[in-house]
Amino acid sequence: LANPHAQVAYDRSAEELLGEEYVVAPLRRHTLPPVTDGCAAVVLAAGDRAFELCARPAFITGIDHRLEAHAIGARDLTRSPSTELAGQKAGVANGSVDVAELHAPFAHQELILARALGLGAGVDISPSGGALAANPLMSAGLIRIGEAARAIWSGKADRAVAHATSGPCLQQNLVCVLEGV
Amino acid sequence: MSERCAVIGIGQTVAKSKREDVSIAGLVREAAIMALDDAGLTFADIDAVVVGKAPDMFEGVMMPELYLAGALGAVGKPMLRVHTAGSVGGSTAIVAAHLVASGIHDRVLTVAFEKQSDSDAMWALSVPQPFSSPLLAGAGGYFAPIIRAYMHRSGAPRDIGMRVAVKDRRHALLNPYAHLHLTDISMKMVEDSIMLWDPLHYLEACPSSDGAAAMIIGSERAAAQAASETGRRPAWIHGMAMRSEPTMFAGRDQVNPLAGRDCAADLYRQAGISDPRADFDMAEVYVPFSWYEPMWLENLGFCPEGDGWKLTGAGATSLIDGGDIPWNCSGGVLSSNPIGASGMLRFLETALQIRGLAGEHQVPDARRALGHAYGGGSQFFAMWVVGVDRP
């Protein structure tokens, strides 16, 4: 509701949502992403140039991406080892996280990703509404980085994590750590 | 570039019309393992994998890089897919090299492929798509009018294209990996072949091939280790550049595209090239239709504009005729065209020459070479320079 770029926005109770028919059990409409037209762009600047262009730049202090096997039968789909590994390489645990923007086009994936990244109860997860609010497939990951940067620009976060996924059932995952100074 | 980087391993499949014995995964794995063996490495030594291929519609496998994760040993590693149409094999090698030049990784496996027998590239390039100009009868139909404009502009005699077609097929006879081995190739044979897109005869066009190419790009440390373990020297990367321009815009020079000239200028600045014809010992240049040799000779600054056909006509680009600047000693795209891999094969062949491993088509004492690929409507360019000397 607070994101003017969101496609799907409403304030409804959990009881009301659980009253929906299944689309395919156990998935109901509210656990699925919308079909979206959209585009995202992010401008990167190196070093001190960022301070000339932006009052409070969001510096990328870690970024990594990892891949899993394609065959879903070869994977434990209740975990996301590629997110765990990318999170370690990007240094997610090297400080406290204020905001995490997770690319979870299916609601249950947010739980798997939050656990893979070790995000505790104090982390504000996907304040933009995430991919459940707007899912322009190939740019839905990039805008997670944009939204995490926006949280730093505004001072809402000092340290933020952004995540993007590709492939069936979270096959490929990217983790980006952003910090304000 | 910040860190030095080099080609330390090379693998390529024998290009063929139909590789019915393997899937796409089997094809790319074959090239990847050859490159690893060449570098004295295994999949476990690789930090990241960069995959390139031409449009997904060619085989109808969307985002094939995801399906290739296991075959390329990429599970648990970063993997990137590159797609810049026909130039993709070159762009893919450059993305891989940037991952090493930037200091992120020590050893990157890069692979490009096309399995044209699984596909119908002619259909994929001809089907009308919304908001884009149709290519009509495939790539040849698109390029033929541009070639005619070149002939009109330069006054080149009509036999120049056929000379390139013969020259590259004679080179291919020296390359066991080439698809076409036309032992009786001659000017008459080309002239007698059916006219496809005037002025291009059938034998002035590239074949349709299955094939894969792979390279290992290594850091200075990785290059030293591979050289000491295998006894094969690295091909150092002296510069790399990419440029793009839209397919169509008012005033666009489609015969001599600005993006190609800008790309070459950037590359030559990086590598310290002032006179390409004298400074390079050989070049592997993307020539899918015969006339693109004289056109790219001009675009790449090997001669003044309008003179490219004179170099071709005089045999300057022929290894067999002892030309001073041999082009496409491997036989080039005219002799093997696994589309997504064709650009990488150009880059790979320059590294093979610099490492002294090109066998019968080796240019004696090749010390510096140009690799080139182009794609789309002559709008995407990727180039690199490799050399014997550490930069």
Side-chain angles (χ1 to χ4, degrees), chain A residues 64-71 82 85 138 166-168 171-172, chain B residues 47 63 65-70 74-80 105:
Chain A
D64 195 83
H65 59 108
R66 299 282 153 172
L67 187 66
E68 294 177 34
H70 189 60
S82 57
L85 186 55
M138 297 299 170
S166 176
Q171 188 191 350
Q172 188 172 25
Chain B
D47 300 318
M63 300 175 72
E65 68 278 11
L66 293 172
Y67 137 71
L68 296 174
V75 172
K77 294 173 187 172
M79 180 193 251
L80 285 174
H105 297 302

Side-chain angles (χ1 to χ4, degrees), chain B residues 145-161:
Chain B
I146 301 170
I147 290 168
R148 293 175 67 84
Y150 171 74
M151 295 167 75
H152 178 74
R153 196 191 277 192
S154 66
R158 283 188 67 88
D159 68 346
I160 292 296

